[in-house]
Amino acid sequence: MKKYNRSQLREKIMFILYQLNICQKHQIPFQLEDIIKDNMEVENEFVKDVSFGIFTHEKEIDKMANKYLKDWTISRLGYPDQAILRIGIYELLYTDTPGVVAINEAIELAKKYSDDEVRKMINGVLDKVYHEETEK
């Protein structure tokens, strides 16, 4: 049985959110629980909590992303980029993950799955969310 570190779990969450996006866009019926099970060999509370949390708060998360995306909206980003940004914003606003960790983890995923321009955009948005929303 494979043991995952938090970075690997975030990558799994990114894949789950990617699949969720496809299901929503193409109006394919889904159960989030099933998508999670398809991506995880063993049950994991972190993956479940973050996936369900993002699914539950998606509108607020997207609104926050759009607030800080310059001349752009989250819906215009590719699915992996949307997932990465949502994970970062969710962790900043709804978890006790330290802000610098949440941002760094999102940037590491973006380095792997996004181009430089989008990575910079994700970094900028998360930095603004961190400084302007979490330090109030």
Side-chain angles (χ1 to χ4, degrees):
M1 186 163 46
K2 185 165 185 199
K3 193 130 171 71
Y4 295 100
N5 64 35
R6 281 284 167 106
S7 298
Q8 292 166 321
L9 292 173
R10 286 180 181 89
E11 192 170 13
K12 292 280 190 184
I13 294 165
M14 187 195 79
F15 293 134
I16 290 164
L17 295 178
Y18 179 90
Q19 289 175 333
L20 186 61
N21 239 347
I22 289 171
C23 290
Q24 289 172 323
K25 182 174 174 32
H26 298 287
Q27 296 165 350
I28 300 166
F30 67 90
Q31 290 293 322
L32 183 52
E33 187 76 39
D34 294 337
I35 295 174
I36 293 170
K37 281 181 186 158
D38 289 346
N39 283 278
M40 295 297 298
E41 299 82 26
V42 294
E43 206 166 293
N44 182 283
E45 281 308 305
F46 178 73
V47 171
K48 210 188 244 184
D49 291 349
V50 174
S51 298
F52 275 98
I54 291 169
F55 182 67
T56 303
H57 298 285
E58 189 175 338
K59 280 186 177 56
E60 297 97 316
I61 291 168
D62 287 3
K63 189 174 174 189
M64 185 66 63
N66 291 337
K67 179 178 176 181
Y68 294 110
L69 280 165
K70 271 200 171 43
D71 306 320
W72 205 254
T73 61
I74 193 166
S75 61
R76 287 181 60 195
L77 296 173
Y79 289 167
D81 308 319
Q82 289 179 29
I84 294 165
L85 194 50
R86 286 179 179 136
I87 293 166
I89 292 172
Y90 177 80
E91 283 202 90
L92 286 171
L93 297 180
Y94 298 98
T95 72
D96 57 6
T97 303
V100 290
V101 173
I103 293 169
N104 187 52
E105 291 287 334
I107 297 312
E108 288 305 312
L109 278 173
K111 282 180 185 173
K112 196 169 174 181
Y113 294 99
S114 306
D115 65 32
D116 266 1
E117 195 176 316
V118 174
R119 182 184 51 76
K120 288 176 186 157
M121 208 184 298
I122 289 170
N123 190 27
V125 169
L126 294 178
D127 192 58
K128 285 189 175 111
V129 170
Y130 177 62
H131 289 293
E132 296 179 28
E133 302 296 333
T134 65
E135 294 184 346
K136 287 181 177 175

